[in-house]
Amino acid sequence: MSSTSPIGAGAPPASAARLAWLDALRGLGAVAVMLEHLLPWFMPSLRPYWFNLGMYGVLVFFLVSGYIIPVSLERRGDVRAFWISRVFRLYPIYLLVVAGVLVAAIWMPVREQVPRDLSSVFAHATMLLDVVHRGGLADTMWTLSYEMVFYLVVTALFVGGAHRASGTIAVAFGTVAVVAGLVLTGPLLQGPWPALVSGPVFLAGLACLVGGRFRRSAAYVLGAMALVLLLFSGFVPWLGAVILAVMFAGTAIRRWEEGAGGLVPVAATAVLVGVTPVWAPQAGWWWVQPGPWLATMVLAGATFAGGMALRGRELPRFLVWLGLVSYSVYLLHHPLLRIFHAVVGDVRAAGQAVQLLLSAVFVLTVLGLSLLTYRYVELPMQRLGRRLARGAAAGNAGGAGGAEGATAAGSTNGTNGTDGTDGTDGAAAAGNAGGAGGAAPGPPSSGDGAREPSCETAGQEPSAGDCAKSSGSPVGESEVRPSSFSEPTG
């Protein structure tokens, strides 16, 4: 396997070119989120208000995760291998950021939105922050909550054999979003208890998914818990349902591409998502007004469609490279922005040349640190996760329950670039990375929250991911979910 740089010379293999568009989309999403947080403080005159940059990036992340994650699980045919690879994709850089923010708290206090109690510990350990209405140490962590909910729901559907009905599920979540917007004005499950209860349940359930005992029951319990938290404990219930609708719409697009479904459910979901905030009492923010909301949706959908249209073409290597480091960019930039602002002070009244210079310095700093964390944290841990996932898959194949997973993996002709079970996806991701360790990063979001191009190269972030209307939250200037690094006023 080559050790060349992801942006080194040489033509990428066909499979890599086919999936480079996913990296490019994740790169665009990460940059959009970073700009959403940067512009209000350093170049406010350039911030657009006819659409929301941050939510645009987040929606792109979620479409990518929806397009990739379920197929990744199906092609593996192995719940244990899937979760091992996900944990090693999402948690290493996430925990590094958590540790960094806590260390920096010696000088810069942790956001006031983060409770100083056990509920916050559990919320961070599970990544279910937003759906248990707990603030994250880094504001962009909110999108990872929905990536995790998506993974739990997809796992339950897969175990129950209902995972192919992606279009119907997308429409169902869109419908739920409309209803939730009409009848709910905030979380029904209040206080620390959702986090305190869901934390131990999540950890025990994950142990069952990975360990094998009571796996089916654990998948159902975790999936049901995720839905309850999404709809009754999240900061903005209708937004949570909208996000799941968008992610399953991404899956439905993949089904259509493979000839296993149509686009009518995708169109119906888009309509439902578009009208959800129109009559919702909990929708007073500028970015969910009809104009900006619809513009943001259309731009995100057009970006994803454009990426698909260009998937057979060679894309700018820098944009693809941005996708590889996008999970690090996504998680690092907001804590770094708080530190940077504390050092340089308020520059909104400074000249444009000064604003541009400081913005450029900040962006280059974020990209440089993201390259380091990708190379020395993300890639090594992804490799370790792939080795463990391969071992788990081999163990399953050798045991009584191994035949099904082996058959599912074999039916996809290959070896997964992220865990050795799916060549169409992981190998391509490895090619996108120029062979750097053979792995493509993951939302995103993903994105990666999680990001995972066809297996695990796209989940960022993304997921999968982040942002929102304020300088770092999906609810922006909301009294429901105030941002720690809120937009400047006056």
Side-chain angles (χ1 to χ4, degrees), residues 88-94 96 323-332 369-386 439-443 448-451 456 460-461:
F88 280 86
R89 174 67 192 97
L90 294 179
Y91 273 93
I93 184 63
Y94 171 82
L96 179 64
L324 295 180
V325 300
S326 59
Y327 189 37
S328 285
V329 170
Y330 185 80
L331 287 179
L332 289 174
L369 289 177
S370 296
L371 173 61
L372 293 176
T373 55
Y374 171 69
R375 179 171 296 175
Y376 297 111
V377 178
E378 292 192 67
L379 276 181
M381 297 309 292
Q382 287 175 38
R383 294 184 188 119
L384 176 58
R386 287 197 303 277
D448 200 302
R451 34 198 276 348
E456 286 197 34
Q460 199 151 81
E461 90 214 40

mmCIF file of all heavy atoms in Angstrom, residues 88-94 96 323-332 369-386 439-443 448-451 456 460-461:
data_model
loop_
_atom_site.group_PDB
_atom_site.id
_atom_site.type_symbol
_atom_site.label_atom_id
_atom_site.label_comp_id
_atom_site.label_asym_id
_atom_site.label_seq_id
_atom_site.Cartn_x
_atom_site.Cartn_y
_atom_site.Cartn_z
ATOM 1 N N PHE A 88 -13.990 3.364 16.867
ATOM 2 C CA PHE A 88 -12.617 3.790 16.603
ATOM 3 C C PHE A 88 -12.555 4.892 15.562
ATOM 4 O O PHE A 88 -11.519 5.550 15.424
ATOM 5 C CB PHE A 88 -11.765 2.588 16.171
ATOM 6 C CG PHE A 88 -11.303 1.753 17.320
ATOM 7 C CD1 PHE A 88 -12.102 0.736 17.825
ATOM 8 C CD2 PHE A 88 -10.081 1.993 17.934
ATOM 9 C CE1 PHE A 88 -11.696 -0.031 18.907
ATOM 10 C CE2 PHE A 88 -9.666 1.242 19.014
ATOM 11 C CZ PHE A 88 -10.469 0.221 19.500
ATOM 12 N N ARG A 89 -13.633 5.113 14.852
ATOM 13 C CA ARG A 89 -13.677 6.242 13.915
ATOM 14 C C ARG A 89 -14.060 7.533 14.621
ATOM 15 O O ARG A 89 -13.495 8.583 14.371
ATOM 16 C CB ARG A 89 -14.695 5.927 12.801
ATOM 17 C CG ARG A 89 -14.933 7.094 11.864
ATOM 18 C CD ARG A 89 -13.690 7.411 11.054
ATOM 19 N NE ARG A 89 -13.827 8.678 10.368
ATOM 20 C CZ ARG A 89 -13.350 9.820 10.826
ATOM 21 N NH1 ARG A 89 -12.755 9.865 12.003
ATOM 22 N NH2 ARG A 89 -13.473 10.925 10.127
ATOM 23 N N LEU A 90 -15.033 7.460 15.520
ATOM 24 C CA LEU A 90 -15.617 8.664 16.096
ATOM 25 C C LEU A 90 -14.941 9.128 17.382
ATOM 26 O O LEU A 90 -14.773 10.331 17.595
ATOM 27 C CB LEU A 90 -17.102 8.440 16.380
ATOM 28 C CG LEU A 90 -18.019 8.224 15.182
ATOM 29 C CD1 LEU A 90 -19.441 7.996 15.652
ATOM 30 C CD2 LEU A 90 -17.954 9.401 14.229
ATOM 31 N N TYR A 91 -14.580 8.211 18.234
ATOM 32 C CA TYR A 91 -14.218 8.609 19.588
ATOM 33 C C TYR A 91 -12.793 9.158 19.774
ATOM 34 O O TYR A 91 -12.592 10.028 20.624
ATOM 35 C CB TYR A 91 -14.440 7.448 20.557
ATOM 36 C CG TYR A 91 -15.853 7.392 21.081
ATOM 37 C CD1 TYR A 91 -16.817 6.617 20.451
ATOM 38 C CD2 TYR A 91 -16.237 8.126 22.198
ATOM 39 C CE1 TYR A 91 -18.126 6.569 20.916
ATOM 40 C CE2 TYR A 91 -17.542 8.091 22.674
ATOM 41 C CZ TYR A 91 -18.488 7.303 22.023
ATOM 42 O OH TYR A 91 -19.766 7.269 22.493
ATOM 43 N N PRO A 92 -11.765 8.677 19.082
ATOM 44 C CA PRO A 92 -10.409 9.150 19.403
ATOM 45 C C PRO A 92 -10.239 10.664 19.346
ATOM 46 O O PRO A 92 -9.806 11.286 20.319
ATOM 47 C CB PRO A 92 -9.537 8.425 18.373
ATOM 48 C CG PRO A 92 -10.282 7.152 18.117
ATOM 49 C CD PRO A 92 -11.730 7.544 18.131
ATOM 50 N N ILE A 93 -10.577 11.294 18.210
ATOM 51 C CA ILE A 93 -10.396 12.741 18.115
ATOM 52 C C ILE A 93 -11.416 13.461 18.990
ATOM 53 O O ILE A 93 -11.133 14.523 19.563
ATOM 54 C CB ILE A 93 -10.504 13.203 16.635
ATOM 55 C CG1 ILE A 93 -10.218 14.708 16.505
ATOM 56 C CG2 ILE A 93 -11.870 12.870 16.062
ATOM 57 C CD1 ILE A 93 -8.834 15.094 16.909
ATOM 58 N N TYR A 94 -12.588 12.881 19.146
ATOM 59 C CA TYR A 94 -13.621 13.439 20.016
ATOM 60 C C TYR A 94 -13.115 13.515 21.458
ATOM 61 O O TYR A 94 -13.225 14.552 22.125
ATOM 62 C CB TYR A 94 -14.863 12.564 19.911
ATOM 63 C CG TYR A 94 -15.973 12.855 20.901
ATOM 64 C CD1 TYR A 94 -16.884 13.874 20.675
ATOM 65 C CD2 TYR A 94 -16.130 12.065 22.038
ATOM 66 C CE1 TYR A 94 -17.932 14.119 21.564
ATOM 67 C CE2 TYR A 94 -17.162 12.299 22.933
ATOM 68 C CZ TYR A 94 -18.062 13.323 22.700
ATOM 69 O OH TYR A 94 -19.077 13.552 23.582
ATOM 70 N N LEU A 96 -10.028 13.471 22.395
ATOM 71 C CA LEU A 96 -8.903 14.397 22.430
ATOM 72 C C LEU A 96 -9.399 15.836 22.589
ATOM 73 O O LEU A 96 -8.836 16.627 23.365
ATOM 74 C CB LEU A 96 -8.068 14.266 21.155
ATOM 75 C CG LEU A 96 -6.853 15.200 21.053
ATOM 76 C CD1 LEU A 96 -5.840 14.871 22.142
ATOM 77 C CD2 LEU A 96 -6.201 15.075 19.673
ATOM 78 N N GLY A 323 -11.911 16.852 2.735
ATOM 79 C CA GLY A 323 -12.847 15.852 3.215
ATOM 80 C C GLY A 323 -12.189 14.857 4.144
ATOM 81 O O GLY A 323 -12.791 14.408 5.130
ATOM 82 N N LEU A 324 -10.949 14.502 3.865
ATOM 83 C CA LEU A 324 -10.240 13.546 4.710
ATOM 84 C C LEU A 324 -10.014 14.098 6.111
ATOM 85 O O LEU A 324 -10.087 13.365 7.098
ATOM 86 C CB LEU A 324 -8.899 13.173 4.069
ATOM 87 C CG LEU A 324 -8.977 12.429 2.731
ATOM 88 C CD1 LEU A 324 -7.586 12.125 2.219
ATOM 89 C CD2 LEU A 324 -9.785 11.160 2.854
ATOM 90 N N VAL A 325 -9.732 15.387 6.218
ATOM 91 C CA VAL A 325 -9.446 15.969 7.536
ATOM 92 C C VAL A 325 -10.673 16.683 8.104
ATOM 93 O O VAL A 325 -10.581 17.357 9.130
ATOM 94 C CB VAL A 325 -8.265 16.966 7.454
ATOM 95 C CG1 VAL A 325 -7.011 16.271 6.962
ATOM 96 C CG2 VAL A 325 -8.592 18.171 6.582
ATOM 97 N N SER A 326 -11.825 16.524 7.455
ATOM 98 C CA SER A 326 -12.989 17.331 7.824
ATOM 99 C C SER A 326 -13.506 17.040 9.230
ATOM 100 O O SER A 326 -14.041 17.931 9.888
ATOM 101 C CB SER A 326 -14.115 17.142 6.806
ATOM 102 O OG SER A 326 -14.497 15.782 6.731
ATOM 103 N N TYR A 327 -13.384 15.808 9.703
ATOM 104 C CA TYR A 327 -13.858 15.515 11.054
ATOM 105 C C TYR A 327 -13.027 16.269 12.085
ATOM 106 O O TYR A 327 -13.548 16.837 13.041
ATOM 107 C CB TYR A 327 -13.800 14.006 11.298
ATOM 108 C CG TYR A 327 -14.466 13.553 12.581
ATOM 109 C CD1 TYR A 327 -15.632 14.151 13.046
ATOM 110 C CD2 TYR A 327 -13.942 12.495 13.317
ATOM 111 C CE1 TYR A 327 -16.245 13.717 14.217
ATOM 112 C CE2 TYR A 327 -14.549 12.050 14.476
ATOM 113 C CZ TYR A 327 -15.694 12.672 14.928
ATOM 114 O OH TYR A 327 -16.293 12.241 16.087
ATOM 115 N N SER A 328 -11.718 16.297 11.875
ATOM 116 C CA SER A 328 -10.859 17.084 12.756
ATOM 117 C C SER A 328 -11.172 18.570 12.645
ATOM 118 O O SER A 328 -11.257 19.284 13.657
ATOM 119 C CB SER A 328 -9.375 16.837 12.430
ATOM 120 O OG SER A 328 -8.944 15.583 12.917
ATOM 121 N N VAL A 329 -11.343 19.065 11.428
ATOM 122 C CA VAL A 329 -11.690 20.478 11.239
ATOM 123 C C VAL A 329 -12.981 20.796 11.983
ATOM 124 O O VAL A 329 -13.096 21.810 12.679
ATOM 125 C CB VAL A 329 -11.852 20.800 9.735
ATOM 126 C CG1 VAL A 329 -12.453 22.190 9.544
ATOM 127 C CG2 VAL A 329 -10.508 20.709 9.025
ATOM 128 N N TYR A 330 -13.927 19.902 11.857
ATOM 129 C CA TYR A 330 -15.248 20.114 12.450
ATOM 130 C C TYR A 330 -15.180 20.217 13.971
ATOM 131 O O TYR A 330 -15.794 21.094 14.583
ATOM 132 C CB TYR A 330 -16.152 18.957 12.029
ATOM 133 C CG TYR A 330 -17.569 19.107 12.477
ATOM 134 C CD1 TYR A 330 -18.451 19.924 11.787
ATOM 135 C CD2 TYR A 330 -18.037 18.435 13.601
ATOM 136 C CE1 TYR A 330 -19.764 20.072 12.200
ATOM 137 C CE2 TYR A 330 -19.352 18.578 14.022
ATOM 138 C CZ TYR A 330 -20.204 19.394 13.319
ATOM 139 O OH TYR A 330 -21.502 19.548 13.744
ATOM 140 N N LEU A 331 -14.438 19.319 14.594
ATOM 141 C CA LEU A 331 -14.387 19.307 16.053
ATOM 142 C C LEU A 331 -13.402 20.309 16.637
ATOM 143 O O LEU A 331 -13.609 20.821 17.734
ATOM 144 C CB LEU A 331 -14.032 17.894 16.550
ATOM 145 C CG LEU A 331 -15.137 16.846 16.429
ATOM 146 C CD1 LEU A 331 -14.641 15.499 16.944
ATOM 147 C CD2 LEU A 331 -16.391 17.267 17.194
ATOM 148 N N LEU A 332 -12.334 20.596 15.923
ATOM 149 C CA LEU A 332 -11.290 21.465 16.470
ATOM 150 C C LEU A 332 -11.600 22.952 16.346
ATOM 151 O O LEU A 332 -11.210 23.758 17.196
ATOM 152 C CB LEU A 332 -9.953 21.188 15.775
ATOM 153 C CG LEU A 332 -9.249 19.874 16.082
ATOM 154 C CD1 LEU A 332 -8.029 19.721 15.181
ATOM 155 C CD2 LEU A 332 -8.823 19.823 17.551
ATOM 156 N N LEU A 369 -3.451 21.989 12.229
ATOM 157 C CA LEU A 369 -3.673 21.109 13.373
ATOM 158 C C LEU A 369 -4.546 19.917 12.981
ATOM 159 O O LEU A 369 -4.345 18.800 13.489
ATOM 160 C CB LEU A 369 -4.331 21.895 14.508
ATOM 161 C CG LEU A 369 -3.431 22.919 15.207
ATOM 162 C CD1 LEU A 369 -4.225 23.691 16.261
ATOM 163 C CD2 LEU A 369 -2.230 22.228 15.862
ATOM 164 N N SER A 370 -5.493 20.131 12.079
ATOM 165 C CA SER A 370 -6.349 19.032 11.635
ATOM 166 C C SER A 370 -5.548 17.985 10.874
ATOM 167 O O SER A 370 -5.795 16.779 11.005
ATOM 168 C CB SER A 370 -7.478 19.562 10.748
ATOM 169 O OG SER A 370 -8.323 20.431 11.479
ATOM 170 N N LEU A 371 -4.586 18.435 10.085
ATOM 171 C CA LEU A 371 -3.719 17.491 9.387
ATOM 172 C C LEU A 371 -2.951 16.631 10.390
ATOM 173 O O LEU A 371 -2.837 15.413 10.236
ATOM 174 C CB LEU A 371 -2.746 18.243 8.479
ATOM 175 C CG LEU A 371 -1.662 17.388 7.796
ATOM 176 C CD1 LEU A 371 -2.300 16.332 6.902
ATOM 177 C CD2 LEU A 371 -0.718 18.273 6.989
ATOM 178 N N LEU A 372 -2.439 17.270 11.442
ATOM 179 C CA LEU A 372 -1.686 16.528 12.457
ATOM 180 C C LEU A 372 -2.574 15.526 13.192
ATOM 181 O O LEU A 372 -2.180 14.373 13.405
ATOM 182 C CB LEU A 372 -1.057 17.503 13.448
ATOM 183 C CG LEU A 372 0.051 18.409 12.897
ATOM 184 C CD1 LEU A 372 0.517 19.392 13.964
ATOM 185 C CD2 LEU A 372 1.228 17.578 12.390
ATOM 186 N N THR A 373 -3.759 15.958 13.604
ATOM 187 C CA THR A 373 -4.625 15.047 14.343
ATOM 188 C C THR A 373 -5.144 13.927 13.443
ATOM 189 O O THR A 373 -5.325 12.788 13.897
ATOM 190 C CB THR A 373 -5.814 15.791 14.977
ATOM 191 O OG1 THR A 373 -6.518 16.522 13.964
ATOM 192 C CG2 THR A 373 -5.338 16.744 16.051
ATOM 193 N N TYR A 374 -5.362 14.229 12.180
ATOM 194 C CA TYR A 374 -5.778 13.180 11.252
ATOM 195 C C TYR A 374 -4.674 12.136 11.096
ATOM 196 O O TYR A 374 -4.920 10.929 11.163
ATOM 197 C CB TYR A 374 -6.128 13.788 9.893
ATOM 198 C CG TYR A 374 -6.357 12.751 8.816
ATOM 199 C CD1 TYR A 374 -7.467 11.918 8.868
ATOM 200 C CD2 TYR A 374 -5.462 12.603 7.768
ATOM 201 C CE1 TYR A 374 -7.681 10.947 7.890
ATOM 202 C CE2 TYR A 374 -5.658 11.642 6.787
ATOM 203 C CZ TYR A 374 -6.767 10.819 6.857
ATOM 204 O OH TYR A 374 -6.963 9.853 5.891
ATOM 205 N N ARG A 375 -3.470 12.617 10.932
ATOM 206 C CA ARG A 375 -2.357 11.696 10.657
ATOM 207 C C ARG A 375 -1.943 10.909 11.888
ATOM 208 O O ARG A 375 -1.630 9.717 11.783
ATOM 209 C CB ARG A 375 -1.169 12.494 10.112
ATOM 210 C CG ARG A 375 0.060 11.648 9.805
ATOM 211 C CD ARG A 375 1.112 12.453 9.065
ATOM 212 N NE ARG A 375 0.646 12.894 7.758
ATOM 213 C CZ ARG A 375 1.341 13.686 6.947
ATOM 214 N NH1 ARG A 375 2.513 14.141 7.328
ATOM 215 N NH2 ARG A 375 0.848 14.031 5.775
ATOM 216 N N TYR A 376 -1.942 11.560 13.049
ATOM 217 C CA TYR A 376 -1.377 10.907 14.238
ATOM 218 C C TYR A 376 -2.423 10.426 15.246
ATOM 219 O O TYR A 376 -2.070 9.742 16.206
ATOM 220 C CB TYR A 376 -0.396 11.864 14.927
ATOM 221 C CG TYR A 376 0.783 12.197 14.047
ATOM 222 C CD1 TYR A 376 0.953 13.480 13.525
ATOM 223 C CD2 TYR A 376 1.715 11.215 13.694
ATOM 224 C CE1 TYR A 376 2.024 13.783 12.692
ATOM 225 C CE2 TYR A 376 2.782 11.507 12.867
ATOM 226 C CZ TYR A 376 2.923 12.793 12.370
ATOM 227 O OH TYR A 376 3.981 13.083 11.550
ATOM 228 N N VAL A 377 -3.685 10.785 15.029
ATOM 229 C CA VAL A 377 -4.737 10.298 15.931
ATOM 230 C C VAL A 377 -5.767 9.495 15.151
ATOM 231 O O VAL A 377 -6.009 8.321 15.442
ATOM 232 C CB VAL A 377 -5.430 11.469 16.663
ATOM 233 C CG1 VAL A 377 -6.555 10.938 17.552
ATOM 234 C CG2 VAL A 377 -4.430 12.246 17.501
ATOM 235 N N GLU A 378 -6.363 10.109 14.143
ATOM 236 C CA GLU A 378 -7.451 9.436 13.430
ATOM 237 C C GLU A 378 -6.978 8.193 12.673
ATOM 238 O O GLU A 378 -7.537 7.098 12.843
ATOM 239 C CB GLU A 378 -8.119 10.410 12.468
ATOM 240 C CG GLU A 378 -8.886 11.542 13.134
ATOM 241 C CD GLU A 378 -9.737 12.283 12.130
ATOM 242 O OE1 GLU A 378 -10.690 11.673 11.613
ATOM 243 O OE2 GLU A 378 -9.443 13.457 11.843
ATOM 244 N N LEU A 379 -5.968 8.340 11.819
ATOM 245 C CA LEU A 379 -5.534 7.202 11.012
ATOM 246 C C LEU A 379 -5.057 6.022 11.852
ATOM 247 O O LEU A 379 -5.468 4.884 11.594
ATOM 248 C CB LEU A 379 -4.443 7.638 10.032
ATOM 249 C CG LEU A 379 -4.917 8.271 8.722
ATOM 250 C CD1 LEU A 379 -3.728 8.623 7.851
ATOM 251 C CD2 LEU A 379 -5.848 7.333 7.970
ATOM 252 N N PRO A 380 -4.170 6.221 12.841
ATOM 253 C CA PRO A 380 -3.740 5.066 13.638
ATOM 254 C C PRO A 380 -4.907 4.356 14.327
ATOM 255 O O PRO A 380 -4.947 3.120 14.371
ATOM 256 C CB PRO A 380 -2.775 5.683 14.663
ATOM 257 C CG PRO A 380 -2.272 6.931 14.019
ATOM 258 C CD PRO A 380 -3.431 7.453 13.223
ATOM 259 N N MET A 381 -5.855 5.122 14.843
ATOM 260 C CA MET A 381 -6.977 4.500 15.526
ATOM 261 C C MET A 381 -7.929 3.826 14.531
ATOM 262 O O MET A 381 -8.541 2.797 14.840
ATOM 263 C CB MET A 381 -7.715 5.537 16.368
ATOM 264 C CG MET A 381 -6.871 6.125 17.488
ATOM 265 S SD MET A 381 -6.079 4.867 18.526
ATOM 266 C CE MET A 381 -7.498 4.140 19.326
ATOM 267 N N GLN A 382 -8.054 4.379 13.340
ATOM 268 C CA GLN A 382 -8.850 3.710 12.312
ATOM 269 C C GLN A 382 -8.227 2.368 11.938
ATOM 270 O O GLN A 382 -8.934 1.367 11.764
ATOM 271 C CB GLN A 382 -8.959 4.591 11.073
ATOM 272 C CG GLN A 382 -9.885 5.792 11.235
ATOM 273 C CD GLN A 382 -9.857 6.687 10.017
ATOM 274 O OE1 GLN A 382 -9.779 6.210 8.895
ATOM 275 N NE2 GLN A 382 -9.925 7.981 10.234
ATOM 276 N N ARG A 383 -6.903 2.343 11.813
ATOM 277 C CA ARG A 383 -6.232 1.088 11.485
ATOM 278 C C ARG A 383 -6.461 0.052 12.579
ATOM 279 O O ARG A 383 -6.732 -1.118 12.296
ATOM 280 C CB ARG A 383 -4.735 1.331 11.308
ATOM 281 C CG ARG A 383 -4.381 2.195 10.103
ATOM 282 C CD ARG A 383 -2.874 2.295 9.943
ATOM 283 N NE ARG A 383 -2.522 3.259 8.926
ATOM 284 C CZ ARG A 383 -1.799 4.352 9.134
ATOM 285 N NH1 ARG A 383 -1.351 4.622 10.355
ATOM 286 N NH2 ARG A 383 -1.521 5.178 8.151
ATOM 287 N N LEU A 384 -6.342 0.500 13.828
ATOM 288 C CA LEU A 384 -6.581 -0.411 14.935
ATOM 289 C C LEU A 384 -8.021 -0.912 14.916
ATOM 290 O O LEU A 384 -8.283 -2.106 15.115
ATOM 291 C CB LEU A 384 -6.286 0.294 16.263
ATOM 292 C CG LEU A 384 -6.583 -0.506 17.543
ATOM 293 C CD1 LEU A 384 -5.781 -1.807 17.552
ATOM 294 C CD2 LEU A 384 -6.276 0.337 18.779
ATOM 295 N N GLY A 385 -8.964 -0.016 14.668
ATOM 296 C CA GLY A 385 -10.357 -0.416 14.591
ATOM 297 C C GLY A 385 -10.603 -1.414 13.480
ATOM 298 O O GLY A 385 -11.367 -2.374 13.642
ATOM 299 N N ARG A 386 -9.959 -1.228 12.324
ATOM 300 C CA ARG A 386 -10.126 -2.175 11.224
ATOM 301 C C ARG A 386 -9.580 -3.550 11.588
ATOM 302 O O ARG A 386 -10.187 -4.572 11.270
ATOM 303 C CB ARG A 386 -9.443 -1.640 9.964
ATOM 304 C CG ARG A 386 -10.170 -0.483 9.316
ATOM 305 C CD ARG A 386 -9.701 -0.280 7.884
ATOM 306 N NE ARG A 386 -8.266 -0.064 7.807
ATOM 307 C CZ ARG A 386 -7.684 1.115 7.997
ATOM 308 N NH1 ARG A 386 -8.427 2.164 8.316
ATOM 309 N NH2 ARG A 386 -6.388 1.255 7.892
ATOM 310 N N ALA A 439 -6.778 4.034 4.678
ATOM 311 C CA ALA A 439 -8.045 4.348 5.316
ATOM 312 C C ALA A 439 -8.548 5.688 4.880
ATOM 313 O O ALA A 439 -7.797 6.604 4.670
ATOM 314 C CB ALA A 439 -7.875 4.355 6.820
ATOM 315 N N ALA A 440 -9.831 5.782 4.785
ATOM 316 C CA ALA A 440 -10.425 7.083 4.566
ATOM 317 C C ALA A 440 -11.151 7.449 5.825
ATOM 318 O O ALA A 440 -11.818 6.637 6.401
ATOM 319 C CB ALA A 440 -11.378 7.034 3.407
ATOM 320 N N PRO A 441 -11.026 8.683 6.267
ATOM 321 C CA PRO A 441 -11.603 9.067 7.529
ATOM 322 C C PRO A 441 -13.104 9.071 7.488
ATOM 323 O O PRO A 441 -13.687 9.180 6.442
ATOM 324 C CB PRO A 441 -11.086 10.472 7.744
ATOM 325 C CG PRO A 441 -10.848 10.955 6.393
ATOM 326 C CD PRO A 441 -10.473 9.782 5.560
ATOM 327 N N GLY A 442 -13.698 9.130 8.647
ATOM 328 C CA GLY A 442 -15.114 9.093 8.647
ATOM 329 C C GLY A 442 -15.843 10.270 9.026
ATOM 330 O O GLY A 442 -15.534 11.311 9.285
ATOM 331 N N PRO A 443 -18.783 12.261 10.496
ATOM 332 C CA PRO A 443 -19.373 12.694 10.596
ATOM 333 C C PRO A 443 -18.674 12.418 10.877
ATOM 334 O O PRO A 443 -19.160 12.094 11.515
ATOM 335 C CB PRO A 443 -20.793 13.077 10.517
ATOM 336 C CG PRO A 443 -20.746 12.986 11.848
ATOM 337 C CD PRO A 443 -19.652 12.585 11.456
ATOM 338 N N ASP A 448 -17.971 12.676 10.528
ATOM 339 C CA ASP A 448 -17.980 12.564 10.457
ATOM 340 C C ASP A 448 -18.639 12.848 11.035
ATOM 341 O O ASP A 448 -18.493 12.214 11.186
ATOM 342 C CB ASP A 448 -17.539 12.389 10.468
ATOM 343 C CG ASP A 448 -16.993 11.765 9.957
ATOM 344 O OD1 ASP A 448 -17.082 11.410 9.897
ATOM 345 O OD2 ASP A 448 -16.656 11.781 9.684
ATOM 346 N N GLY A 449 -19.667 13.881 12.016
ATOM 347 C CA GLY A 449 -19.834 13.410 12.706
ATOM 348 C C GLY A 449 -19.239 12.405 12.445
ATOM 349 O O GLY A 449 -18.503 12.218 12.079
ATOM 350 N N ALA A 450 -19.319 12.008 11.946
ATOM 351 C CA ALA A 450 -19.043 10.713 11.523
ATOM 352 C C ALA A 450 -18.904 10.748 10.048
ATOM 353 O O ALA A 450 -19.739 11.242 9.428
ATOM 354 C CB ALA A 450 -20.241 10.015 11.850
ATOM 355 N N ARG A 451 -18.004 10.307 9.407
ATOM 356 C CA ARG A 451 -18.011 10.380 7.972
ATOM 357 C C ARG A 451 -17.556 9.081 7.411
ATOM 358 O O ARG A 451 -16.701 8.441 7.934
ATOM 359 C CB ARG A 451 -17.096 11.478 7.448
ATOM 360 C CG ARG A 451 -15.952 11.659 8.237
ATOM 361 C CD ARG A 451 -15.286 12.958 8.001
ATOM 362 N NE ARG A 451 -14.411 13.170 7.009
ATOM 363 C CZ ARG A 451 -13.832 12.321 6.247
ATOM 364 N NH1 ARG A 451 -14.060 11.137 6.321
ATOM 365 N NH2 ARG A 451 -13.011 12.640 5.369
ATOM 366 N N GLU A 456 -16.731 3.523 5.718
ATOM 367 C CA GLU A 456 -16.404 4.384 6.788
ATOM 368 C C GLU A 456 -15.632 5.540 6.325
ATOM 369 O O GLU A 456 -14.939 6.136 7.052
ATOM 370 C CB GLU A 456 -15.555 3.665 7.747
ATOM 371 C CG GLU A 456 -16.416 2.819 8.368
ATOM 372 C CD GLU A 456 -15.981 2.261 9.575
ATOM 373 O OE1 GLU A 456 -15.305 2.842 10.308
ATOM 374 O OE2 GLU A 456 -16.387 1.218 9.769
ATOM 375 N N GLN A 460 -18.590 11.294 8.792
ATOM 376 C CA GLN A 460 -18.342 12.443 9.638
ATOM 377 C C GLN A 460 -19.463 13.134 10.232
ATOM 378 O O GLN A 460 -19.631 13.235 11.278
ATOM 379 C CB GLN A 460 -17.724 13.477 8.797
ATOM 380 C CG GLN A 460 -17.080 14.427 9.661
ATOM 381 C CD GLN A 460 -15.956 15.065 9.107
ATOM 382 O OE1 GLN A 460 -15.858 15.762 8.548
ATOM 383 N NE2 GLN A 460 -14.956 14.885 9.275
ATOM 384 N N GLU A 461 -19.060 13.178 10.217
ATOM 385 C CA GLU A 461 -19.213 13.912 10.437
ATOM 386 C C GLU A 461 -19.639 14.334 10.582
ATOM 387 O O GLU A 461 -19.818 14.097 10.564
ATOM 388 C CB GLU A 461 -19.078 13.868 10.553
ATOM 389 C CG GLU A 461 -17.966 13.714 11.038
ATOM 390 C CD GLU A 461 -18.359 13.434 11.092
ATOM 391 O OE1 GLU A 461 -18.706 13.215 11.035
ATOM 392 O OE2 GLU A 461 -18.547 13.329 11.365
#
